[in-house]
Amino acid sequence: MEILTSIIGGFGLAAPAGLNAWLCLLIVGLLARFTTIITLQPPFTLLTDIWVLVALGVLLTIEVFADKIPAVDTVNDIIHTFIRPVAGGILFASYTGAVGGLDPTIGFILGLLAAGSVHAVKATTRPMITATTGGLANPLVSLVEDIIAGATTVLALFAAPCAALLMALLLGGAIFFVWRWRERRRRRQALANVNAKTPR
């Protein structure tokens, strides 16, 4: 039961890193340094170091602005293809190390998969949103992603199952959106091909 609790909590903490790695790491680092909500075990105590927190704050500031500019956000997602899954691995392992019941190495791998899945969906949907709205919706979508990432990270520390369920629902919804968008595009293309072949 303890292992299941660790996995659920770890997923709830790691998955949001697929949206914004620096924000999630910064929240956990700040809460571990200044509160008793979570107590990190070595080597994850490095997240509470003041210089690491400053660096995370700087990286978060860059991320917040870069992710809201059309085209730049796509480049930003490419750069973070490795960063976000690793951040998720760190968060998952740090949570299971603090709560106990699961080997941190296994936690790191599960965190990689959780954050990597969310990042993959984010990186896939963003170009679609850019193409559909001409980039006008990008800043709003990015802001919503930041809010979800931050809120879910905090929620995971107080109500892990709720955070995990929220991320699972959002991930499923995003996958459905991608599928519907591609289906619609495929049908439009098929219709265009039929019209092009029809004699005038």
Side-chain angles (χ1 to χ4, degrees):
M1 189 65 181
E2 188 180 11
I3 292 178
L4 180 60
T5 302
S6 294
I7 291 173
I8 292 172
F11 177 78
L13 200 59
L19 297 174
N20 191 322
W22 309 122
L23 178 60
C24 299
L25 289 170
L26 182 61
I27 289 172
V28 170
L30 287 171
L31 290 177
R33 182 179 176 88
F34 296 110
T35 74
T36 57
I37 293 171
I38 184 170
T39 303
L40 300 178
Q41 304 297 322
F44 305 109
T45 49
L46 186 63
L47 282 176
T48 64
D49 183 87
I50 190 64
W51 292 110
V52 171
L53 293 173
V54 169
L56 289 172
V58 171
L59 291 167
L60 173 59
T61 302
I62 296 169
E63 161 93 357
V64 165
F65 285 103
D67 198 49
K68 291 171 177 59
I69 303 171
V72 175
D73 61 349
T74 302
V75 175
N76 185 57
D77 282 337
I78 293 170
I79 292 170
H80 283 81
T81 297
F82 299 103
I83 295 171
R84 289 174 185 153
V86 169
I90 291 169
L91 289 165
F92 202 120
S94 68
Y95 181 85
T96 54
V99 175
L102 186 70
D103 184 273
T105 303
I106 297 173
F108 183 80
I109 294 169
L110 291 175
L112 279 174
L113 295 173
S117 299
V118 173
H119 167 73
V121 173
K122 169 186 164 66
T124 302
T125 56
R126 188 59 70 85
M128 295 177 184
I129 293 167
T130 302
T132 304
T133 67
L136 295 176
N138 289 42
L140 178 60
V141 170
S142 177
L143 178 61
V144 170
E145 289 172 352
D146 292 342
I147 292 170
I148 290 171
T152 309
T153 299
V154 174
L155 183 62
L157 297 173
F158 292 97
C162 294
L165 179 61
L166 175 62
M167 287 308 302
L169 289 173
L170 289 171
L171 187 60
I175 291 171
F176 179 74
F177 168 79
V178 172
W179 175 77
R180 287 287 297 169
W181 189 85
R182 287 184 172 170
E183 273 295 299
R184 225 178 290 166
R185 189 177 179 185
R186 185 185 63 78
R187 286 175 185 170
R188 277 199 304 264
Q189 187 61 49
L191 185 60
N193 290 341
V194 169
N195 290 337
K197 292 176 182 177
T198 304
R200 301 213 178 253

